[in-house]
Amino acid sequence: MPELYDVITMGRIGVDLYPLQTGRPLARVDTFGKFLGGSPTNVAVAAARLGRRTAVVTRTGRDAFGEYLHQQLREFGVDDRWVTPVDAYPTPVTFCEIFPPDDFPLYFYRLPKAPDLEIHVWELDLDAVRSARVFWMTGTGLCAEPSRESTLAALRARDRNGITVFDLDWRPMFWDAGPTDPTAATATAGSTTAGSTTAGSATAGSTTAGSATAGSATAGSTTAGSATAGSATAGSTTAGSATAGSATAGSTTAGSATAGSATAGFTTSGFTTSGSPTADSTTATPTARYREALAHATVAVGNLDECEIATGEREPYAAARALIAAGVELAVVKRGPKGVLAVHRDGTVADVPPLPVEVVNGLGAGDAFGGALCHGLLAGWETERVMRYANAAGAIVASRLACSSAMPFPYEVEAALTAGAVTSRPTGATP
C-alpha cells in the first residue's frame, strides 16, 4: 500500500526573485530575496504549514536552483520524492515588481521550456496519486505535452475519488499561440494584455507577463482605504477573455443545463454533468482542454477571468453553475472586492466577504487560500467556514513580502479570524 498523503499537488515550480524594495520598477531595484515559488508547490507548502502531510509532483533543472528548491521543500515539510531533474532545461526563475496595493507584474523566465512541463506519465506514482486525500492540479499543467497527458492520466487514475481540485490558473503566456487558439494574440511576450502592458523588452529565453494574476491569487483590491484579500485578483487583469464562450473541439458550453436563479439558495435541479470530450492536443483551445479536465475534478477554484476561460461565463453565479454542470461538486469563484462565492452541487451557497488587510504583496495569497481550502475540506467543515478560513490565510500572505515562507500557521489564521482583520506581523517575529 502506498503511503497516505493528505495533499499531493502537481505542476509548476521555480525560484521567485522578489525585490526587497517596494514601489520601484525592476530597473531601479538593487536587492532581491530568493524564495521557493510556483503556485501548486506553494499550495503544498501552505497545507503543510497547517499540519497536513503533503508532497508535490514536479521537475526542476539539474542545477543549483534545483538543489535550492529541494532544500526549501524539505525545510517546509513537503515531501520532494517526486521532484526530479531535467537535464535539458534550466530551473525557471520569476521576477516581480511590487506596487501595493494592487499592482504586482510578473516576469516569467521559462524558455525554451520549463522542466515542470516535462512530467511524463511513466514516472507518475499513480497509486500514491489515487490514494491521496486531496489531489491538486492546475490549468498550467494542460498547456503543453507531456505535462498535459500526465495531468489527465493522474485525473483519470483518481476516478473522482476523494477531493480532486482543479485550480483554473489561467496563464496565457504559457500557452502555444497556434492558429486555432483564440488566445494567440494575447499570449505573446511583449504584447499588451487586457489593458496593461507586458515588458516590451523581453529577452530571448524569457516570457513576461506584466499583468498576470497572482497564482489565481487573492488580495489586491481596496476597501475603505485598506486592501482586502481572499478573493481579489492580485495585479491587473489577465488577458484571455478572447476565449469566452468558445467551447470548441467537441466540448459543450457549460451552464445551459442548469436551473434556478442566480441568487443564494438557487435550486440545483437540472444540473447535469457534461461529457468528457477528448481535446486534440494539437488543435484544441484552452477552453476545450479545461473542459476535459473539469470532467474529472470534484472542486474547481478560479477568479472571474479564469472562470470565463473555463466556461465562457463571467457573472459569478452563472460561472459557478457552469463549473458544476461541467462536472465538479464544489465551485469556488474568487470575485475581487466582493469576496468569494462557493456553490455546492447540493445547493449550499456561501457568499463570503474579504478580510481587510494592508497589502504588501498580493502574490501568493491565492496559494495560501488554496492550502487552507484543502485543510478545511479535509477537516470536513461546512462550506462557509472553509471559505472564511481560506480568506484569512490569503489575507495574511498578502500582508507579507514573500510567498512560500509567508504561509501562515494555524494560530495566525485563527487570530486573524478573531480580530476580523489582518495586522502585519512585526519584523523578526517568530511563528
Side-chain angles (χ1 to χ4, degrees), residues 240-326:
S241 60
T243 62
S246 58
T248 60
S251 63
T252 304
T253 301
S256 60
T258 61
S261 62
T263 57
F266 67 87
T267 63
T268 59
S269 59
F271 275 152
T272 60
T273 301
S274 64
S276 54
T278 299
D280 186 317
S281 64
T282 60
T283 62
T285 64
T287 297
R289 292 168 183 163
Y290 272 50
R291 293 281 311 203
E292 187 175 8
L294 281 169
H296 299 285
T298 63
V299 179
V301 183
N303 60 34
L304 294 177
D305 294 312
E306 293 164 341
C307 289
E308 186 173 23
I309 289 297
T311 69
E313 299 285 355
R314 280 193 67 85
E315 194 283 321
Y317 283 91
R321 293 197 304 271
L323 289 168
I324 291 172

Side-chain angles (χ1 to χ4, degrees), residues 14 16 28 53 61 70 109 114 163 180 230 234-235 242 255 266 314 324 329 360 364:
D16 287 346
R28 295 180 52 209
R53 185 165 189 258
H70 277 280
Y109 290 74
I163 300 166
T180 60
F266 67 87
R314 280 193 67 85
I324 291 172
E329 299 295 318
V360 173

Side-chain angles (χ1 to χ4, degrees), residues 222-246:
T222 57
T223 301
S226 65
T228 59
S231 53
T233 302
S236 52
T237 307
T238 58
S241 60
T243 62
S246 58

Side-chain angles (χ1 to χ4, degrees), residues 44-413:
V45 171
R49 278 277 171 94
L50 298 173
R52 298 298 177 176
R53 185 165 189 258
T54 71
V56 61
V57 179
T58 189
R59 305 195 74 182
T60 71
R62 193 183 295 274
D63 51 30
F65 277 151
E67 293 176 9
Y68 165 76
L69 294 176
H70 277 280
Q71 293 169 6
Q72 287 292 285
L73 287 169
R74 293 164 188 157
E75 288 183 16
F76 289 130
V78 177
D79 195 324
D80 65 344
R81 70 180 63 190
W82 297 304
V83 182
T84 58
V86 176
D87 291 325
Y89 305 121
T91 300
V93 175
T94 302
F95 290 87
C96 79
E97 293 175 309
I98 301 177
F99 297 102
D102 59 1
D103 188 15
F104 308 99
L106 282 168
Y107 302 84
F108 294 96
Y109 290 74
R110 290 172 57 87
L111 292 179
K113 187 178 185 180
D116 55 57
L117 295 176
E118 281 291 293
I119 302 172
H120 294 266
V121 174
W122 55 263
E123 66 183 328
L124 294 177
D125 186 340
L126 292 178
D127 287 337
V129 168
R130 188 180 296 110
S131 64
R133 299 176 68 194
V134 175
F135 176 66
W136 180 287
M137 47 73 64
T138 76
T140 295
L142 303 174
C143 76
E145 297 291 3
S147 172
R148 180 186 303 118
E149 181 53 36
S150 297
T151 300
L152 292 172
L155 289 173
R156 289 190 290 266
R158 295 279 296 175
D159 194 26
R160 297 177 60 84
N161 287 325
I163 300 166
T164 303
V165 184
F166 182 2
D167 176 3
L168 301 180
D169 184 41
W170 170 238
R171 303 283 184 166
M173 70 292 301
F174 296 164
W175 290 74
D176 293 334
T180 60
D181 184 346
T183 67
T186 60
T188 305
S191 64
T192 300
T193 60
S196 66
T197 307
T198 63
S201 59
T203 58
S206 69
T207 303
T208 64
S211 62
T213 54
S216 59
T218 59
S221 58
T222 57
T223 301
S226 65
T228 59
S231 53
T233 302
S236 52
T237 307
T238 58
S241 60
T243 62
S246 58
T248 60
S251 63
T252 304
T253 301
S256 60
T258 61
S261 62
T263 57
F266 67 87
T267 63
T268 59
S269 59
F271 275 152
T272 60
T273 301
S274 64
S276 54
T278 299
D280 186 317
S281 64
T282 60
T283 62
T285 64
T287 297
R289 292 168 183 163
Y290 272 50
R291 293 281 311 203
E292 187 175 8
L294 281 169
H296 299 285
T298 63
V299 179
V301 183
N303 60 34
L304 294 177
D305 294 312
E306 293 164 341
C307 289
E308 186 173 23
I309 289 297
T311 69
E313 299 285 355
R314 280 193 67 85
E315 194 283 321
Y317 283 91
R321 293 197 304 271
L323 289 168
I324 291 172
V328 305
E329 299 295 318
L330 176 66
V332 179
V333 181
K334 302 172 184 178
R335 50 186 192 143
K338 295 182 180 180
V340 61
L341 171 69
V343 178
H344 197 279
R345 181 177 292 276
D346 66 9
T348 301
V349 176
D351 193 346
V352 178
L355 202 64
V357 58
E358 183 177 348
V359 172
V360 173
N361 184 1
L363 303 176
D367 304 333
F369 182 100
L373 172 68
C374 293
H375 178 67
L377 292 174
L378 287 171
W381 296 341
E382 62 181 13
T383 302
E384 182 170 345
R385 182 182 177 187
V386 174
M387 295 304 118
R388 291 188 183 279
Y389 194 92
N391 267 356
I396 290 168
V397 172
S399 73
R400 299 170 178 174
L401 176 66
C403 292
S404 53
S405 60
M407 297 301 167
F409 293 90
Y411 81 91
E412 294 177 302
V413 182

